[in-house]
């Protein structure tokens, strides 16, 4: 499996940047995971957008879905150009709630919405995907995703506060893509559905992850500060997200 960071910033893209979006590729699948602001232009650096096999959305906050509409337009045009079959809408797997948000995900022949629940299990090409609800948001679900292919496991933690139950989901992952929204000096006194970089590292270490990618970062954070505050993770390599970073497992 190969993961490419297309966007990692939050809550908005810095100059030339992008909010969360990750390309996960195997021999048999090209999956876009979240589709934030600026992600579509980054995707085009790595592959034609019409070759995607699926889009998976963790939740509907703007920083994770901002480019879905332009992706739909793009696929529609590539179908008109004959580069993508008109009878092959891109599946968009996304939470079933809030219902109003789901209504935009089926668009002409370009995309089709498939609802996710915590119990959902997907097989896309050679990738098996399962889900875990995270501690995030004001009542509507946000799902972390576990991708297993060719004996390797990537867990994408989506947005997740300290109340998330990770047991049996992230343990032993070859790569944990975990949010670290705050450096220490910005960390709120009361948990608000996000983790700090320090908490992300402690979590990955406690669950025996083999490598860590800290993401969902403010664009102004320095990579050296992020890596410095991730010192609790000693079990393997630590990466601070940056656009274009590729990790091969
Ligand atoms: O205290 C805060 C609250 C939010 N942010 C950033 O804003 C976005 C959107 O907020 P949600 O809590 O996810 O609705 C969030 O992803 C953070 O990047 C913040 O930095 N500090």
């Amino acid at each position: 499996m190969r993961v490419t960071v297309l966007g990692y910033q939050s809550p908005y893209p810095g100059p030339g940047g992008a909010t969360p979006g990750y390309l996960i590729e195997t021999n048999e699948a090209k999956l876009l995971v979240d589709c934030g602001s600026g992600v579509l232009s980054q995707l085009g650096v790595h592959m034609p957008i019409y070759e995607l096999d699926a889009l998976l959305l963790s939740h509907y906050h703007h920083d994770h879905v901002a480019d879905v509409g332009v992706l739909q337009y793009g696929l529609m045009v590539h179908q008109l150009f004959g580069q993508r079959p008109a009878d092959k809408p891109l599946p968009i797997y996304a939470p079933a709630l809030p219902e109003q948000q789901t209504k935009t995900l089926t668009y002409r022949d370009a995309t089709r919405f498939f609802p996710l629940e915590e119990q959902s299990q997907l097989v896309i090409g050679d990738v098996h995907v399962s889900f875990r609800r995270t501690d995030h948001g004001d009542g509507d679900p946000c799902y972390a995703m576990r991708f297993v292919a060719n004996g390797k496991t990537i867990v994408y933690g989506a947005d997740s506060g300290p109340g998330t139950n990770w047991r049996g989901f992230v343990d032993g992952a070859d790569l944990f893509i975990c949010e670290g929204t705050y450096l220490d000096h910005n960390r709120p006194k009361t948990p608000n559905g996000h983790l700090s970089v320090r908490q992300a590292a402690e979590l990955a270490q406690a669950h025996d992850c083999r490598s860590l990618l800290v993401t969902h970062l403010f664009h102004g954070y320095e990579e050296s500060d992020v890596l410095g505050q991730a010192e609790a993770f000693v079990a393997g390599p630590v990466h601070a997200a940056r656009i274009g970073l590729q990790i091969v497992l």
Side-chain angles (χ1 to χ4, degrees), residues 9-12 20 59 61-64 136-138 159 179 181-182 186-188 190 192-194 216-218 221:
Q9 298 165 344
S10 185
Y12 72 100
H59 66 307
H61 287 172
H62 298 296
D63 51 334
H64 294 256
H136 184 70
D138 301 323
D159 283 9
E179 75 139 275
T181 301
Y182 308 114
N186 291 133
R187 183 173 162 182
T190 310
N192 68 346
H194 294 287
H216 203 265
L217 302 167
F218 182 67
Y221 285 173

Side-chain angles (χ1 to χ4, degrees), residues 70-112:
V70 287
L71 173 62
Q72 291 171 319
Y73 285 172
L75 293 173
M76 171 185 70
V77 165
H78 285 297
Q79 287 176 325
L80 292 172
F81 290 172
Q83 291 157 314
R84 187 176 174 94
D87 61 355
K88 193 180 170 196
L90 182 78
I92 301 182
Y93 301 98
L97 294 171
E99 193 182 353
Q100 191 60 29
Q101 299 275 15
T102 70
K103 294 183 191 307
T104 63
L105 296 185
T106 295
Y107 178 72
R108 301 196 186 186
D109 296 323
T111 58
R112 180 157 308 150

Side-chain angles (χ1 to χ4, degrees), residues 209-231:
C209 298
R210 295 199 168 93
S211 63
L212 171 64
L213 169 58
V214 185
T215 192
H216 203 265
L217 302 167
F218 182 67
H219 70 267
Y221 285 173
E222 294 292 338
E223 183 172 302
S224 57
D225 291 335
V226 173
L227 294 176
Q229 293 192 13
E231 63 193 351

Side-chain angles (χ1 to χ4, degrees), residues 4-84:
T4 304
V5 177
L6 303 175
Y8 68 94
Q9 298 165 344
S10 185
Y12 72 100
T19 66
Y22 308 87
L23 175 62
I24 293 182
E25 296 170 279
T26 66
N27 291 336
E28 297 180 17
K30 295 180 190 299
L31 310 179
L32 179 59
V33 179
D34 281 341
C35 190
S37 176
V39 164
L40 200 62
S41 74
Q42 293 300 326
L43 177 63
V45 171
H46 300 279
M47 58 174 279
I49 67 164
Y50 53 81
E51 291 182 0
L52 276 179
D53 294 304
L55 168 62
L56 298 99
L57 298 176
S58 60
H59 66 307
Y60 292 97
H61 287 172
H62 298 296
D63 51 334
H64 294 256
V65 302
D67 270 9
V68 171
V70 287
L71 173 62
Q72 291 171 319
Y73 285 172
L75 293 173
M76 171 185 70
V77 165
H78 285 297
Q79 287 176 325
L80 292 172
F81 290 172
Q83 291 157 314
R84 187 176 174 94

